[in-house]
Coordinates of all heavy atoms in Angstrom, one line a residue:
Q143 N -51.8 -28.2 8.1 CA -50.7 -27.5 8.7 C -49.3 -28.2 8.3 O -48.3 -27.5 8.1 CB -50.8 -27.5 10.2 CG -52.0 -26.7 10.7 CD -52.1 -26.6 12.2 OE1 -51.2 -27.2 12.9 NE2 -53.1 -25.9 12.7
E144 N -49.3 -29.5 8.1 CA -48.1 -30.2 7.7 C -47.6 -29.7 6.4 O -46.4 -29.5 6.1 CB -48.3 -31.7 7.7 CG -48.4 -32.3 9.1 CD -49.8 -32.2 9.7 OE1 -50.6 -31.5 9.1 OE2 -50.0 -32.7 10.8
N145 N -48.5 -29.5 5.4 CA -48.1 -29.0 4.1 C -47.6 -27.6 4.2 O -46.6 -27.2 3.5 CB -49.3 -29.1 3.2 CG -49.8 -30.5 3.0 OD1 -49.0 -31.5 3.1 ND2 -51.1 -30.7 2.6
L146 N -48.3 -26.7 4.9 CA -47.9 -25.4 5.0 C -46.5 -25.3 5.8 O -45.7 -24.4 5.5 CB -48.9 -24.5 5.8 CG -50.3 -24.4 5.1 CD1 -51.2 -23.6 5.9 CD2 -50.1 -23.8 3.7
A147 N -46.3 -26.2 6.7 CA -45.0 -26.2 7.4 C -43.9 -26.5 6.5 O -42.8 -26.0 6.6 CB -45.1 -27.3 8.5
I148 N -44.1 -27.4 5.5 CA -43.0 -27.7 4.5 C -42.7 -26.4 3.8 O -41.5 -26.1 3.5 CB -43.5 -28.9 3.6 CG1 -43.6 -30.2 4.3 CG2 -42.5 -29.0 2.4 CD1 -44.1 -31.3 3.5
F149 N -43.7 -25.7 3.3 CA -43.5 -24.5 2.6 C -42.7 -23.5 3.5 O -41.7 -22.8 3.0 CB -44.8 -23.9 2.2 CG -44.7 -22.6 1.4 CD1 -44.5 -22.6 0.1 CD2 -44.8 -21.4 2.1 CE1 -44.4 -21.4 -0.6 CE2 -44.7 -20.2 1.4 CZ -44.5 -20.2 0.0
A150 N -43.1 -23.3 4.8 CA -42.4 -22.4 5.6 C -41.0 -22.8 5.9 O -40.1 -21.9 5.9 CB -43.2 -22.2 6.9
W151 N -40.7 -24.0 6.2 CA -39.4 -24.4 6.6 C -38.4 -24.3 5.4 O -37.2 -24.0 5.6 CB -39.4 -25.8 7.2 CG -39.8 -25.9 8.6 CD1 -41.0 -26.3 9.1 CD2 -39.1 -25.4 9.7 NE1 -41.1 -26.2 10.5 CE2 -39.9 -25.6 10.9 CE3 -37.8 -24.8 9.9 CZ2 -39.4 -25.2 12.2 CZ3 -37.4 -24.5 11.1 CH2 -38.2 -24.7 12.3
T152 N -38.9 -24.7 4.2 CA -38.0 -24.5 3.1 C -37.6 -23.1 2.8 O -36.5 -22.7 2.5 CB -38.6 -25.2 1.8 OG1 -39.9 -24.7 1.7 CG2 -38.6 -26.7 1.9
G153 N -38.6 -22.2 3.0 CA -38.4 -20.8 2.8 C -37.4 -20.3 3.9 O -36.5 -19.4 3.6
I154 N -37.6 -20.7 5.1 CA -36.7 -20.3 6.2 C -35.2 -20.8 5.9 O -34.3 -20.1 6.1 CB -37.2 -20.9 7.6 CG1 -38.5 -20.1 8.0 CG2 -36.1 -20.7 8.6 CD1 -39.1 -20.7 9.2
G155 N -35.1 -22.0 5.4 CA -33.8 -22.6 5.1 C -33.1 -21.7 4.0 O -31.9 -21.4 4.2
A156 N -33.8 -21.4 3.0 CA -33.2 -20.6 1.9 C -32.8 -19.2 2.4 O -31.7 -18.6 2.1 CB -34.1 -20.5 0.7
T157 N -33.7 -18.6 3.2 CA -33.4 -17.2 3.7 C -32.3 -17.2 4.7 O -31.4 -16.3 4.6 CB -34.7 -16.7 4.4 OG1 -35.8 -16.7 3.5 CG2 -34.5 -15.3 4.9
A158 N -32.2 -18.2 5.6 CA -31.1 -18.2 6.5 C -29.8 -18.5 5.8 O -28.8 -17.9 6.1 CB -31.4 -19.4 7.5
G159 N -29.7 -19.3 4.8 CA -28.5 -19.6 4.1 C -28.0 -18.3 3.3 O -26.8 -18.0 3.3
D160 N -29.0 -17.6 2.7 CA -28.6 -16.4 2.0 C -28.1 -15.3 3.0 O -27.2 -14.6 2.7 CB -29.8 -15.8 1.3 CG -29.5 -14.6 0.5 OD1 -28.8 -14.7 -0.5 OD2 -29.9 -13.5 0.9
A161 N -28.7 -15.2 4.2 CA -28.2 -14.3 5.2 C -26.8 -14.6 5.7 O -25.9 -13.7 5.8 CB -29.2 -14.2 6.4
V162 N -26.5 -15.9 5.9 CA -25.2 -16.3 6.3 C -24.2 -16.0 5.2 O -23.1 -15.5 5.4 CB -25.2 -17.8 6.6 CG1 -23.8 -18.3 6.8 CG2 -26.0 -18.0 7.9
R163 N -24.5 -16.3 3.9 CA -23.6 -16.0 2.8 C -23.3 -14.5 2.7 O -22.2 -14.0 2.5 CB -24.2 -16.5 1.5 CG -23.3 -16.2 0.3 CD -24.1 -16.3 -1.0 NE -25.3 -15.5 -1.0 CZ -25.3 -14.2 -1.2 NH1 -24.1 -13.6 -1.5 NH2 -26.4 -13.4 -1.2
S164 N -24.4 -13.6 2.9 CA -24.2 -12.2 2.8 C -23.3 -11.7 4.0 O -22.4 -10.9 3.7 CB -25.5 -11.5 2.9 OG -26.4 -11.8 1.8
R165 N -23.5 -12.2 5.2 CA -22.7 -11.8 6.3 C -21.2 -12.3 6.1 O -20.3 -11.5 6.3 CB -23.2 -12.4 7.6 CG -22.4 -11.9 8.8 CD -22.9 -12.6 10.1 NE -22.1 -12.2 11.2 CZ -20.9 -12.7 11.5 NH1 -20.4 -13.7 10.8 NH2 -20.2 -12.3 12.6
R166 N -21.0 -13.5 5.6 CA -19.7 -14.0 5.3 C -19.0 -13.1 4.3 O -17.8 -12.8 4.4 CB -19.8 -15.4 4.8 CG -18.4 -16.1 4.8 CD -18.7 -17.6 4.3 NE -19.6 -18.3 5.2 CZ -20.4 -19.2 4.9 NH1 -20.5 -19.6 3.6 NH2 -21.1 -19.8 5.8
A167 N -19.7 -12.7 3.2 CA -19.1 -11.9 2.2 C -18.8 -10.5 2.7 O -17.8 -9.9 2.4 CB -20.1 -11.7 1.0
F168 N -19.6 -10.0 3.6 CA -19.4 -8.6 4.2 C -18.1 -8.7 5.1 O -17.3 -7.8 5.0 CB -20.6 -8.2 5.0 CG -20.5 -6.9 5.7 CD1 -20.5 -5.7 5.0 CD2 -20.3 -6.9 7.1 CE1 -20.3 -4.5 5.7 CE2 -20.1 -5.7 7.8 CZ -20.1 -4.5 7.1
V169 N -18.0 -9.7 5.9 CA -16.8 -9.8 6.8 C -15.6 -10.0 5.9 O -14.5 -9.4 6.2 CB -17.0 -11.0 7.7 CG1 -15.7 -11.3 8.5 CG2 -18.2 -10.7 8.7
Q170 N -15.7 -10.8 4.9 CA -14.5 -11.0 4.0 C -14.1 -9.6 3.3 O -12.9 -9.3 3.2 CB -14.8 -12.0 2.9 CG -13.7 -12.3 2.0 CD -12.5 -12.9 2.7 OE1 -12.6 -13.5 3.8 NE2 -11.3 -12.8 2.1
A171 N -15.1 -8.9 2.9 CA -14.8 -7.6 2.3 C -14.1 -6.6 3.3 O -13.2 -5.9 2.9 CB -16.1 -6.9 1.7
I172 N -14.6 -6.6 4.5 CA -14.0 -5.8 5.5 C -12.5 -6.2 5.8 O -11.6 -5.4 5.9 CB -14.8 -5.8 6.8 CG1 -16.1 -5.1 6.6 CG2 -14.0 -5.1 8.0 CD1 -17.0 -5.2 7.8
R173 N -12.3 -7.5 5.8 CA -11.0 -8.0 6.1 C -10.0 -7.7 4.9 O -8.9 -7.2 5.1 CB -11.0 -9.6 6.3 CG -9.7 -10.2 6.6 CD -9.8 -11.7 6.8 NE -10.6 -12.0 8.0 CZ -11.8 -12.6 7.9 NH1 -12.3 -12.9 6.7 NH2 -12.5 -12.9 8.9
E174 N -10.5 -7.8 3.7 CA -9.7 -7.5 2.5 C -9.4 -6.0 2.5 O -8.3 -5.6 2.1 CB -10.4 -7.9 1.2 CG -10.5 -9.4 1.1 CD -11.2 -9.8 -0.2 OE1 -11.8 -8.9 -0.9 OE2 -11.3 -11.0 -0.5
R175 N -10.4 -5.2 2.8 CA -10.2 -3.7 2.9 C -9.1 -3.3 3.9 O -8.3 -2.5 3.7 CB -11.5 -3.0 3.1 CG -11.4 -1.5 2.9 CD -12.7 -0.8 3.2 NE -13.8 -1.3 2.3 CZ -14.8 -2.0 2.7 NH1 -15.0 -2.3 4.0 NH2 -15.7 -2.4 1.9
A176 N -9.2 -4.0 5.1 CA -8.2 -3.7 6.1 C -6.8 -4.1 5.7 O -5.8 -3.4 5.9 CB -8.6 -4.4 7.4
E177 N -6.7 -5.3 5.1 CA -5.4 -5.8 4.6 C -4.9 -4.9 3.5 O -3.7 -4.6 3.5 CB -5.5 -7.2 4.1 CG -5.9 -8.2 5.2 CD -6.1 -9.6 4.6 OE1 -6.1 -9.8 3.3 OE2 -6.2 -10.6 5.4
R178 N -5.8 -4.4 2.6 CA -5.3 -3.5 1.5 C -4.8 -2.2 2.1 O -3.8 -1.6 1.7 CB -6.4 -3.3 0.5 CG -6.0 -2.5 -0.7 CD -7.0 -2.7 -1.8 NE -8.4 -2.3 -1.4 CZ -9.4 -3.2 -1.2 NH1 -9.1 -4.5 -1.4 NH2 -10.6 -2.8 -0.8
A179 N -5.6 -1.7 3.1 CA -5.1 -0.4 3.7 C -3.8 -0.6 4.5 O -3.0 0.3 4.4 CB -6.2 0.0 4.7
E180 N -3.6 -1.8 5.1 CA -2.3 -2.0 5.8 C -1.2 -2.1 4.8 O -0.1 -1.5 5.0 CB -2.4 -3.3 6.6 CG -1.2 -3.6 7.4 CD -1.0 -2.6 8.6 OE1 -2.0 -2.0 9.0 OE2 0.1 -2.5 9.0
R181 N -1.4 -2.8 3.7 CA -0.4 -2.8 2.6 C -0.1 -1.4 2.1 O 1.1 -1.1 1.8 CB -0.8 -3.8 1.5 CG -0.8 -5.2 1.9 CD -0.9 -6.1 0.6 NE -2.1 -5.8 -0.2 CZ -3.2 -6.5 0.0 NH1 -3.3 -7.4 0.9 NH2 -4.3 -6.2 -0.8
T182 N -1.1 -0.6 1.9 CA -0.9 0.7 1.4 C -0.1 1.6 2.4 O 0.8 2.3 2.0 CB -2.2 1.4 1.1 OG1 -3.0 0.6 0.2 CG2 -2.1 2.8 0.5
R183 N -0.4 1.4 3.7 CA 0.4 2.2 4.7 C 1.8 1.7 4.7 O 2.8 2.5 4.8 CB -0.2 2.0 6.1 CG -1.5 2.8 6.3 CD -1.9 2.8 7.7 NE -2.2 1.5 8.2 CZ -3.4 1.0 8.3 NH1 -4.4 1.7 7.8 NH2 -3.6 -0.2 8.7
E184 N 2.1 0.4 4.6 CA 3.4 -0.1 4.6 C 4.2 0.4 3.4 O 5.4 0.8 3.4 CB 3.4 -1.6 4.7 CG 2.9 -2.2 6.0 CD 2.8 -3.7 6.0 OE1 3.1 -4.3 4.9 OE2 2.5 -4.3 7.0
E185 N 3.5 0.3 2.2 CA 4.2 0.8 1.0 C 4.5 2.3 1.0 O 5.6 2.7 0.6 CB 3.3 0.5 -0.2 CG 3.2 -1.0 -0.5 CD 2.2 -1.3 -1.6 OE1 1.5 -0.3 -2.1 OE2 2.0 -2.5 -2.0
E186 N 3.6 3.1 1.6 CA 3.8 4.5 1.7 C 5.0 4.8 2.7 O 5.8 5.7 2.4 CB 2.5 5.2 2.2 CG 2.6 6.7 2.4 CD 2.8 7.5 1.1 OE1 2.6 6.9 0.1 OE2 3.3 8.6 1.2
A187 N 5.0 4.0 3.8 CA 6.1 4.2 4.7 C 7.5 3.8 4.1 O 8.5 4.6 4.3 CB 5.9 3.3 6.0
R188 N 7.5 2.7 3.3 CA 8.7 2.4 2.6 C 9.1 3.4 1.6 O 10.3 3.7 1.4 CB 8.6 1.0 2.0 CG 8.6 -0.2 2.9 CD 8.8 -1.5 2.2 NE 7.7 -1.8 1.3 CZ 6.6 -2.5 1.7 NH1 6.5 -3.0 2.9 NH2 5.6 -2.7 0.8
R189 N 8.1 4.0 0.9 CA 8.5 5.0 -0.1 C 9.0 6.2 0.5 O 10.0 6.8 0.1 CB 7.2 5.3 -0.9 CG 7.4 6.3 -2.0 CD 6.1 6.7 -2.7 NE 5.3 7.5 -1.8 CZ 5.4 8.8 -1.5 NH1 6.4 9.5 -2.1 NH2 4.6 9.4 -0.7
R190 N 8.4 6.7 1.7 CA 8.9 7.8 2.3 C 10.3 7.6 2.9 O 11.2 8.5 2.9 CB 8.0 8.2 3.5 CG 6.6 8.8 3.0 CD 5.7 9.2 4.2 NE 4.5 9.7 3.7 CZ 4.3 11.0 3.4 NH1 5.3 11.8 3.5 NH2 3.1 11.4 3.0
V191 N 10.6 6.4 3.4 CA 11.9 6.1 3.9 C 12.9 6.2 2.8 O 14.0 6.7 2.9 CB 11.9 4.8 4.6 CG1 13.4 4.3 4.9 CG2 11.2 4.8 5.9
A192 N 12.6 5.6 1.6 CA 13.5 5.6 0.5 C 13.8 7.0 0.0 O 14.9 7.4 -0.3 CB 12.9 4.8 -0.7
E193 N 12.7 7.9 -0.1 CA 12.9 9.3 -0.5 C 13.8 10.0 0.5 O 14.6 10.8 0.1 CB 11.5 9.9 -0.6 CG 10.7 9.4 -1.8 CD 9.4 10.1 -1.9 OE1 9.1 10.9 -0.9 OE2 8.6 9.9 -2.9
E194 N 13.6 9.8 1.8 CA 14.4 10.5 2.8 C 15.9 10.0 2.7 O 16.8 10.9 2.8 CB 13.8 10.2 4.2 CG 14.5 11.0 5.3 CD 14.3 12.5 5.2 OE1 13.4 12.9 4.4 OE2 15.0 13.3 5.8
R195 N 16.1 8.8 2.5 CA 17.5 8.3 2.4 C 18.1 8.9 1.2 O 19.3 9.3 1.2 CB 17.5 6.8 2.3 CG 17.1 6.1 3.6 CD 17.0 4.6 3.4 NE 18.3 4.0 3.0 CZ 18.5 2.8 2.6 NH1 17.5 1.9 2.6 NH2 19.7 2.3 2.2
L196 N 17.4 9.0 0.1 CA 17.9 9.5 -1.2 C 18.2 11.0 -1.0 O 19.3 11.5 -1.4 CB 16.9 9.4 -2.3 CG 17.4 9.9 -3.7 CD1 18.6 9.1 -4.1 CD2 16.3 9.7 -4.7
R197 N 17.4 11.7 -0.3 CA 17.6 13.2 0.0 C 18.8 13.4 0.8 O 19.7 14.2 0.5 CB 16.4 13.8 0.6 CG 16.5 15.3 0.8 CD 15.4 15.8 1.7 NE 15.5 15.3 3.0 CZ 16.4 15.8 3.9 NH1 17.2 16.8 3.6 NH2 16.5 15.3 5.1
I198 N 19.0 12.6 1.9 CA 20.1 12.7 2.8 C 21.4 12.4 2.0 O 22.5 13.0 2.2 CB 20.0 11.9 4.0 CG1 18.8 12.4 4.9 CG2 21.2 11.8 4.8 CD1 18.5 11.6 6.1
A199 N 21.3 11.3 1.2 CA 22.5 10.9 0.4 C 22.9 12.0 -0.6 O 24.1 12.3 -0.7 CB 22.2 9.6 -0.4
R200 N 21.9 12.7 -1.2 CA 22.3 13.8 -2.1 C 23.0 15.0 -1.3 O 24.0 15.5 -1.7 CB 21.0 14.3 -2.8 CG 20.5 13.5 -3.9 CD 19.6 14.3 -4.8 NE 18.4 14.8 -4.1 CZ 17.3 14.2 -4.0 NH1 17.1 13.1 -4.7 NH2 16.3 14.7 -3.4
D201 N 22.4 15.3 -0.1 CA 23.0 16.4 0.7 C 24.4 16.1 1.1 O 25.3 16.9 1.0 CB 22.1 16.7 1.9 CG 20.8 17.4 1.5 OD1 20.8 18.0 0.4 OD2 19.9 17.4 2.3
L202 N 24.6 14.8 1.6 CA 25.9 14.4 2.0 C 26.9 14.5 0.8 O 28.1 14.9 1.0 CB 25.9 13.0 2.6 CG 25.2 12.9 4.0 CD1 25.2 11.4 4.4 CD2 26.0 13.7 5.0
H203 N 26.5 14.0 -0.3 CA 27.4 14.0 -1.5 C 27.7 15.5 -1.8 O 28.9 15.8 -2.1 CB 26.7 13.4 -2.7 CG 27.5 13.5 -4.0 ND1 27.3 14.6 -4.8 CD2 28.5 12.8 -4.5 CE1 28.1 14.5 -5.8 NE2 28.8 13.4 -5.7
D204 N 26.7 16.4 -1.8 CA 27.0 17.8 -2.2 C 28.0 18.4 -1.2 O 29.0 19.1 -1.6 CB 25.7 18.6 -2.3 CG 24.8 18.1 -3.4 OD1 25.4 17.4 -4.3 OD2 23.6 18.4 -3.4
V205 N 27.8 18.2 0.1 CA 28.6 18.8 1.1 C 30.0 18.3 1.0 O 31.0 19.0 0.9 CB 28.0 18.6 2.5 CG1 29.0 19.0 3.6 CG2 26.7 19.3 2.6
V206 N 30.1 16.9 1.0 CA 31.5 16.3 1.0 C 32.2 16.6 -0.3 O 33.4 17.0 -0.3 CB 31.3 14.8 1.2 CG1 32.7 14.1 1.0 CG2 30.8 14.5 2.6
A207 N 31.6 16.5 -1.4 CA 32.3 16.7 -2.7 C 32.8 18.1 -2.8 O 33.9 18.4 -3.2 CB 31.4 16.4 -3.9
H208 N 32.0 19.1 -2.4 CA 32.3 20.5 -2.5 C 33.5 20.8 -1.6 O 34.6 21.3 -2.1 CB 31.2 21.4 -2.1 CG 31.5 22.8 -1.8 ND1 32.1 23.6 -2.8 CD2 31.3 23.5 -0.7 CE1 32.3 24.8 -2.2 NE2 31.9 24.8 -1.0
H209 N 33.4 20.5 -0.3 CA 34.4 21.0 0.6 C 35.7 20.1 0.4 O 36.8 20.7 0.6 CB 33.9 20.9 2.0 CG 32.9 21.9 2.3 ND1 33.2 23.2 2.4 CD2 31.5 21.8 2.5 CE1 32.0 23.9 2.7 NE2 31.0 23.1 2.7
I210 N 35.6 18.9 0.2 CA 36.8 18.0 0.0 C 37.6 18.5 -1.3 O 38.8 18.5 -1.3 CB 36.4 16.6 -0.1 CG1 35.9 16.1 1.3 CG2 37.7 15.7 -0.4 CD1 36.8 16.3 2.4
A211 N 36.8 18.9 -2.3 CA 37.5 19.4 -3.5 C 38.3 20.7 -3.2 O 39.5 20.8 -3.6 CB 36.5 19.7 -4.6

Side-chain angles (χ1 to χ4, degrees):
Q143 294 182 359
E144 287 81 355
N145 298 335
L146 298 178
I148 293 177
F149 180 84
W151 280 108
T152 51
I154 291 174
T157 304
D160 182 72
V162 170
R163 180 196 55 77
S164 299
R165 181 183 180 279
R166 191 180 299 150
F168 177 72
V169 172
Q170 182 65 23
I172 293 178
R173 185 181 293 112
E174 291 178 354
R175 190 180 300 113
E177 293 175 354
R178 186 164 55 251
E180 184 67 23
R181 288 195 301 268
T182 303
R183 284 193 296 268
E184 293 176 356
E185 292 172 359
E186 179 67 15
R188 286 194 296 267
R189 184 186 65 81
R190 290 181 179 273
V191 169
E193 290 179 354
E194 185 65 15
R195 291 176 59 187
L196 182 61
R197 186 191 64 80
I198 294 175
R200 283 198 301 263
D201 287 341
L202 287 176
H203 172 270
D204 293 342
V205 171
V206 172
H208 164 59
H209 291 288
I210 295 302

